[in-house]
Every structure is written in structure tokens, then in C-alpha cells.
Amino acid sequence: MVMPTSITGVKVEFLEFPAIVTPPASTKSYFLGGAGVRGLDINGEFVKFTGLGVYLEDKAVASLAAKWSGKTPLELFESLDFYRDIIKGPFEKLIRGTKVRTLPGPEYVRKVSENCVAHMKSVGTYGDAEEKAIQKFRDAFKDQYFPPGSTVFYKQSPTGTLGLYFSKDDTIPEHEHTVIENKALSEAVLETMIGEIPVSPALKQSLATRFCEFLKDDNLFIAN
């Protein structure tokens, strides 16, 4: 594999997010756009729950370069359109969410699904199909239990396919646990992480800082 020197891994708490990942039984690799922690303020203390990493196809850089090349990290961070272009971009994304502390699947998906529904309703994309998709999404997590180090992977296609993978560590399983065909939900999952009301400002900052460098070379190519 040829890896541009500008692509490096990121450490979030005790979690290592490598610069490049290649799923099993796949010839396609994804580069790490950014990574950061997700947490909540509980009784005045910031409690960390999950380390989040967003991986993308190499063509994401060329797709974003025309509009965003030359911007500073601060300009990218302050632009919602930049993140929306990542969310809606015509390239695959692989999102990794590895637990920092124990979370039962139903508890985890309750908050994630609430955020997704709230976003879809706010932008007018929530209908009968999305309601069914959310139920399938919730059902996928009902028997899951996530100790520290365990991972949920979300694979997103530009056409709206959302694949869910569950792992006891940070390795990507060979097969999806669940596949959901709903573009609005797929986009909402990433929107809630890095969009207007993000669960991980640290991930947004990481994406802005790293893409400022990536966009200096819009011919980024990951060769296997």
C-alpha cells in the first residue's frame, strides 16, 4: 500500500485509529478523515463514552477540493457546509465508534436514534419509510452489549445503503449484521456526529485540521 505522508493515525483516549483500514474480503481501503471523543456533561463532569473515527474513500479529497482547498482549519470548522459536503458527498464512508466505557445496546441506540429522528424531522425528511428504517435500526442493537473496546461500524454508500457491523474489538467483521436501505437515515447518522448539533465537536475539529492538509494535495490516492 502507498500511503501519503500527510495521512497519520489518531489516538483517542486509549483507542488507536489507524491511518488506513481495509475491510475483510474487500479490495477497497479507506483513509482516516478524523477522530475524536464523544461524551456528555453529567453533573458538571465531562463523561467520555465513545471514540469516533470517520474513514473515507480516497476520491473524497478530489470531490471536496474545488470548494474547500485553501481554507484554514478554522474556516472549515466554522462552515456547516463543509461538513454537509462530507455527509452528502458521492463517496463511501466507514464510521467507527469504539466504546470507552460500557454501554448496553438499547441504551446506546435510544440516544442515537432520537438524535437522528430529531434531525430528519427538522429538515423534513422523516416519513413512513424513515420510521420503518429507524425501527430496524433500533432492532439491530436490542441484543447488543458494548464493553470498553467494542465497536460499532457504520458503512455508508452514496446511494443511501447503511451497513451495521458489531465487533468485540476494533477489527471489522467480514459481514454486516444489518443492512438498511434509507438515505435520509444514513446521512442523519453522520449528521448527528459532525453536523449542526454534533455529539463530537472534537471529531469536527479533527476533520477540519486534517482536511486542511489533505486538500493541499487533491490527487490523494491510496493504492493497494
Side-chain angles (χ1 to χ4, degrees):
M1 174 181 291
V2 177
M3 185 169 65
T5 57
S6 59
I7 302 180
T8 58
V10 173
K11 187 171 184 178
V12 178
E13 298 300 300
F14 60 87
L15 307 171
E16 299 284 352
F17 288 80
I20 305 289
V21 296
T22 306
S26 174
T27 59
K28 183 176 293 185
S29 295
Y30 302 83
F31 74 92
L32 180 63
V37 71
R38 172 186 179 268
L40 291 172
D41 284 309
I42 300 176
N43 298 324
E45 179 184 358
F46 184 68
V47 180
K48 301 166 184 175
F49 287 99
T50 308
L52 295 171
V54 176
Y55 289 84
L56 308 100
E57 278 188 279
D58 52 15
K59 66 180 181 180
V61 174
S63 176
L64 296 166
K67 185 174 179 181
W68 299 108
S69 181
K71 303 292 186 182
T72 67
L74 181 60
E75 288 173 322
L76 294 177
F77 182 72
E78 292 181 341
S79 175
L80 180 58
D81 284 346
F82 168 64
Y83 297 100
R84 291 276 168 82
D85 286 349
I86 292 175
I87 294 164
K88 297 178 179 290
F91 40 83
E92 291 182 5
K93 299 113 192 167
L94 182 68
I95 304 164
R96 172 186 156 189
T98 302
K99 302 299 170 276
V100 173
R101 55 191 294 144
T102 298
L103 274 175
E107 179 182 340
Y108 169 79
V109 78
R110 178 181 58 80
K111 188 60 179 176
V112 173
S113 60
E114 285 175 357
N115 291 342
C116 288
V117 169
H119 169 71
M120 289 187 287
K121 286 183 174 179
S122 74
V123 296
T125 60
Y126 189 73
D128 291 344
E130 285 66 42
E131 184 176 2
K132 292 177 182 177
I134 279 287
Q135 188 57 54
K136 186 174 182 179
F137 184 70
R138 289 172 176 155
D139 288 345
F141 288 84
K142 66 181 180 181
D143 296 323
Q144 301 298 321
Y145 185 79
F146 303 116
S150 60
T151 301
V152 180
F153 291 96
Y154 302 91
K155 187 176 180 182
Q156 300 177 318
S157 76
T159 58
T161 300
L162 176 64
L164 304 178
Y165 303 75
F166 302 125
S167 174
K168 295 301 182 185
D169 48 34
D170 59 1
T171 58
I172 307 171
E174 187 170 350
H175 302 291
E176 300 102 329
H177 178 280
T178 302
V179 177
I180 302 172
E181 300 288 350
N182 190 280
K183 189 175 180 67
L185 173 58
S186 182
E187 291 180 351
V189 168
L190 187 51
E191 166 72 32
T192 61
M193 295 178 186
I194 64 171
E196 188 171 8
I197 308 174
V199 298
S200 181
L203 173 57
K204 289 189 71 169
Q205 183 66 67
S206 179
L207 284 164
T209 300
R210 289 166 65 85
F211 262 94
C212 178
E213 295 300 317
F214 297 156
L215 292 170
K216 293 175 182 179
D217 179 13
D218 61 9
N219 292 313
L220 177 73
F221 176 70
I222 303 168
N224 294 295

